[in-house]
Amino acid sequence: MKLAIAGLAALSLGLVAAPALAQQSGPPVEYDLSFENAAHHEARITVTYRDLGRAPVRFEMSRSSPGRYAVHEFAKNVSSVSAVDGAGRPLSVDRTDPYGWTVGGHDGTVAITYTLFGDRGDGTYAQINPDHAHLNMPATLMWARGYDERPVTVRFRPSDPSWTIATQLAPTGDPQVFTAPNLQYLMDSPTELADLTMREWSIDDNGVERTVRIALHHTGTEAEADEFAARARRVVDAQIAIFGDAPDFDYGTYTFLADYLPWGDGDGMEHRNSTVIADNSTLAEAKYGQIGTLSHEFFHAWNVERIRPRELEPFDFTRANPTPSLWFAEGFTNYYGPLAIRRAGVSSVDEFLGAMGGQLSGILNTPARAFGSPQEMSLRAPFVDAAASIDPNNPNIFTSYYPYGAVIALGLDLTLRDRFEGITLDSYMRHMWKKHGMTGRPYTPDDLRIGLGEVTGDPRFADAFFAASIERSELPDFAPLLAQAGVLLQPKNPGKAWAGRARLDVADKVVTLASDDIPGMPLYEAGLGRGDEIVSLGGARIDSPDDWSRALARARPGDKVEIRFIQRGRERSAELRLVQDPTKQLVRVETTGVEATPEQLAFREAWLGR
């Protein structure tokens, strides 16, 4: 069933007041967006400011975006900039740097018009084509410095009559016109214009009805949309149960902007009352695997959007916005995403253990923990968050705060369940929600530590945990913690010889290392690195990845074999001492032929659900 989204939002507008969004200063900023040249990925955009006085006005494109932690140069996609005053007279537009334009000589009104190119359908950029206009606002809208608190009106002019408009912006009586209270909210409001399939349902937030909706742009069937919505609804309910409360969605509605299109890009990007979830596979092709991104991003409605790091408030659109707490904001969310899916009954215990086992194995085996704590890894986000430089970097000094934080969350959850009667990681998240999310008070790293002490009643435990696992890089002994749930941490490939984690590239039977290996591992110790061509292993010619796998299969951990390779034009040889594959996995004890005890099963159910 396809519905006009703007009308739905208008019906819900009166359900909830939004006093925090009521700041206004000066006449509204007016945006007008049209898409006549959508076939060539262009939008034509005009923004009008009034009551400016007589001083020159500086217009800019953002260099960063909510949900991203690195710099993205959105001005590169802007061209054909012109301006007029209130009487329609042309104004000069001066550009003295890459990021902005200055307009002077006006009469107090400036209307600046430009062309935007956009052809990336993810959560960071814009994509415009005959099928949709997919708009992340920092990548789309120019703004004037010094007028951030002015209210905003946005008119969209769809180029296709089948397009409807999905956004967290506030609707008006005109289905093509929306409003925002200020620049911060505007830039946090992605928008999708397309022929959309809508699914929505109501949730009871302590007696207040709120709406959750999926605005789905896909090439699948109505039945697939129904199935995806049914799974999403169960996940949403499971997450509300974790916090015991739903967020007070501004304007009463939360929207999943879901693009599952062959010409799109895989991504998820959280916002205050909506999220972009994109993939280039259909729901059927992915077997509804997109529910993983949906779960992760919806958890952000609490954790990061409302339980918010102080460093991100207010968001600065002119620079990177780093915080040392991404291990919590993103990492804990990376733990709860699959956990909520399991508790909702949308995945099995084994599927959850498979997802967590992969993250745990990676963190246990990474050399990067020797180079920095979770806080240090969080502060490296501007270098890695979809903003990697073209020069090679050292692959062994960084590990992502996503799995790092998820592993910390796993260890802390199991530790709390072991040491403190009736206290779990859910208890901690609820405490942070009540203390910081519901009050709107951003947290500092110290607030996270203090909150753990408050919820456990044991500040010494909290201090020790943060000192060891957040400020340093220590991890708990996971084996006994997992044993409480009848879960084993064991080798994934016992007895398999392993040469290292380096990836292989193949072109015309030339096999090269696509990445460097880990210090202490065979390839690294033998002196091989990224770009080296592998000629033979143990006397066997290597012309393909299958050749490599067969050569390793003939060996055993501890074997020493000759590897011949070409490095910087010279053929060399070295002795490769193979080791046991260090990859770990999590499995239920029952899969090994051992019965779980009643105590273990009860612990597992309390942790992972039925």
Side-chain angles (χ1 to χ4, degrees):
M1 179 176 175
K2 295 179 181 179
L3 301 171
I5 303 172
L8 287 172
L11 289 174
S12 69
L13 182 57
L15 293 176
V16 59
L21 302 181
Q23 282 188 321
Q24 297 187 3
S25 174
V29 181
E30 301 170 12
Y31 286 89
D32 189 293
L33 294 83
S34 61
F35 307 94
E36 290 86 355
N37 200 24
H40 296 287
H41 314 296
E42 288 184 351
R44 192 68 175 158
I45 302 171
T46 297
V47 54
T48 303
Y49 283 78
R50 307 181 194 279
D51 194 16
L52 297 174
R54 297 288 179 168
V57 182
R58 161 97 173 167
F59 289 86
E60 296 189 359
M61 287 295 288
S62 299
R63 302 187 66 204
S64 58
S65 179
R68 294 252 77 110
Y69 307 103
V71 168
H72 297 267
E73 303 294 9
F74 300 123
K76 70 181 182 294
N77 288 322
V78 170
S79 63
S80 302
V81 180
S82 63
V84 298
D85 67 9
R89 290 184 293 262
L91 299 170
S92 64
V93 179
D94 296 322
R95 189 174 192 180
T96 57
D97 63 69
Y99 315 113
W101 300 259
T102 299
V103 180
H106 55 80
D107 60 1
T109 295
V110 176
I112 192 164
T113 300
Y114 59 97
T115 296
L116 177 82
F117 177 88
D119 192 24
R120 184 171 175 85
D122 63 5
T124 305
Y125 296 95
Q127 185 172 66
I128 303 157
N129 59 41
D131 293 290
H132 72 165
H134 173 91
L135 307 173
N136 181 40
M137 292 311 182
T140 304
L141 300 181
M142 193 181 290
W143 45 275
R145 267 191 179 273
Y147 302 95
D148 294 8
E149 295 307 318
R150 288 197 175 186
V152 179
T153 298
V154 185
R155 175 178 290 278
F156 300 98
R157 300 183 187 274
S159 61
D160 186 317
S162 72
W163 286 6
T164 51
I165 304 167
T167 182
Q168 70 174 34
L169 294 168
T172 68
D174 186 329
Q176 295 183 358
V177 177
F178 298 80
T179 66
N182 51 41
L183 182 72
Q184 286 281 328
Y185 193 87
L186 173 70
M187 290 296 180
D188 194 42
S189 301
T191 299
E192 176 80 12
L193 291 79
D195 183 7
L196 295 166
T197 299
M198 283 298 301
R199 296 294 183 269
E200 70 166 50
W201 63 94
S202 296
I203 57 175
D204 181 1
D205 181 18
N206 297 318
V208 177
E209 186 179 88
R210 307 194 192 281
T211 299
V212 178
R213 61 190 182 183
I214 300 176
L216 179 60
H217 185 202
H218 74 143
T219 57
T221 66
E222 294 288 318
E224 290 164 4
D226 288 338
E227 176 62 25
F228 186 61
R231 297 184 185 207
R233 185 169 186 170
R234 291 161 68 182
V235 169
V236 165
D237 289 345
Q239 293 197 8
I240 292 172
I242 290 167
F243 288 95
D245 182 36
D248 295 344
F249 302 128
D250 305 311
Y251 313 117
T253 303
Y254 186 93
T255 305
F256 293 104
L257 303 172
D259 276 284
Y260 301 139
L261 304 164
W263 54 86
D265 297 275
D267 199 11
M269 188 56 61
E270 73 278 1
H271 299 273
R272 182 171 171 85
N273 302 300
S274 64
T275 192
V276 173
I277 42 178
D279 193 17
N280 53 20
S281 298
T282 67
L283 290 168
E285 288 169 345
K287 299 180 180 179
Y288 303 98
Q290 295 95 339
I291 200 71
T293 306
L294 180 145
S295 184
H296 178 102
E297 302 304 334
F298 188 63
F299 197 81
H300 276 314
W302 292 270
N303 190 27
V304 94
E305 289 299 330
R306 291 167 174 84
I307 308 174
R308 193 148 177 85
R310 185 176 297 279
E311 296 85 4
L312 303 185
E313 193 64 29
F315 196 85
D316 187 341
F317 300 103
T318 67
R319 62 173 182 85
N321 287 249
T323 168
S325 300
L326 290 183
W327 62 269
F328 179 81
E330 293 290 358
F332 274 40
T333 300
N334 223 42
Y335 172 69
Y336 270 107
L339 182 58
I341 295 172
R342 159 81 291 270
R343 290 180 180 173
V346 176
S347 71
S348 67
V349 169
D350 289 341
E351 287 171 324
F352 171 79
L353 293 178
M356 282 308 306
Q359 295 189 80
L360 178 57
S361 178
I363 295 303
L364 289 174
N365 287 315
T366 180
R369 286 193 297 117
F371 294 91
S373 68
Q375 289 184 332
E376 165 71 15
M377 298 306 164
S378 298
L379 288 173
R380 293 184 183 218
F383 309 138
V384 298
D385 187 31
S389 299
I390 60 173
D391 63 311
N393 57 1
N394 187 334
N396 295 309
I397 64 172
F398 173 78
T399 191
S400 171
Y401 38 83
Y402 284 86
Y404 204 166
V407 165
I408 290 168
L410 170 66
L412 181 57
D413 197 1
L414 296 174
T415 299
L416 292 174
R417 291 171 184 272
D418 177 42
R419 291 186 53 168
F420 300 96
E421 182 69 29
I423 302 296
T424 70
L425 197 66
D426 296 0
S427 311
Y428 180 44
M429 298 309 295
R430 288 192 202 107
H431 182 79
M432 295 302 295
W433 170 241
K434 291 175 181 176
K435 188 173 180 181
H436 293 277
M438 296 176 69
T439 64
R441 184 169 71 87
Y443 67 81
T444 66
D446 274 349
D447 288 326
L448 293 173
R449 174 182 54 80
I450 292 167
L452 183 60
E454 290 170 342
V455 77
T456 60
D458 190 344
R460 289 186 177 180
F461 165 78
D463 292 348
F465 168 78
F466 269 75
S469 295
I470 306 304
E471 296 165 9
R472 299 196 301 273
S473 306
E474 298 175 17
L475 293 175
D477 183 355
F478 277 96
L481 292 174
L482 291 160
Q484 300 172 98
V487 174
L488 299 175
L489 175 63
Q490 63 180 27
K492 187 173 183 178
N493 302 302
K496 181 178 179 181
W498 198 68
R501 71 171 183 186
R503 295 177 292 106
L504 301 179
D505 268 347
V506 183
D508 297 328
K509 294 187 177 182
V510 175
V511 178
T512 58
L513 294 181
S515 62
D516 288 308
D517 202 5
I518 302 172
M521 292 296 105
L523 287 168
Y524 186 99
E525 295 303 313
L528 281 81
R530 183 177 60 88
D532 291 348
E533 177 187 343
I534 299 174
V535 177
S536 65
L537 180 66
R541 179 79 186 179
I542 304 298
D543 292 326
S544 70
D546 287 341
D547 291 343
W548 177 258
S549 297
R550 283 191 290 268
L552 286 175
R554 289 192 289 269
R556 292 289 179 266
D559 286 355
K560 297 177 181 179
V561 297
E562 181 190 42
I563 185 167
R564 299 194 67 82
F565 58 101
I566 298 174
Q567 186 177 73
R568 295 174 183 83
R570 294 181 58 189
E571 184 166 330
R572 303 173 186 271
S573 67
E575 183 180 80
L576 200 67
R577 187 179 185 280
L578 300 173
V579 298
Q580 162 70 46
D581 184 343
T583 307
K584 305 291 185 183
Q585 64 178 350
L586 298 180
V587 298
R588 293 176 294 117
V589 294
E590 300 94 307
T591 65
T592 67
V594 177
E595 284 192 31
T597 68
E599 293 78 13
Q600 288 173 325
L601 292 174
F603 186 101
R604 187 190 300 167
E605 182 176 318
W607 172 32
L608 301 180
R610 291 181 176 274

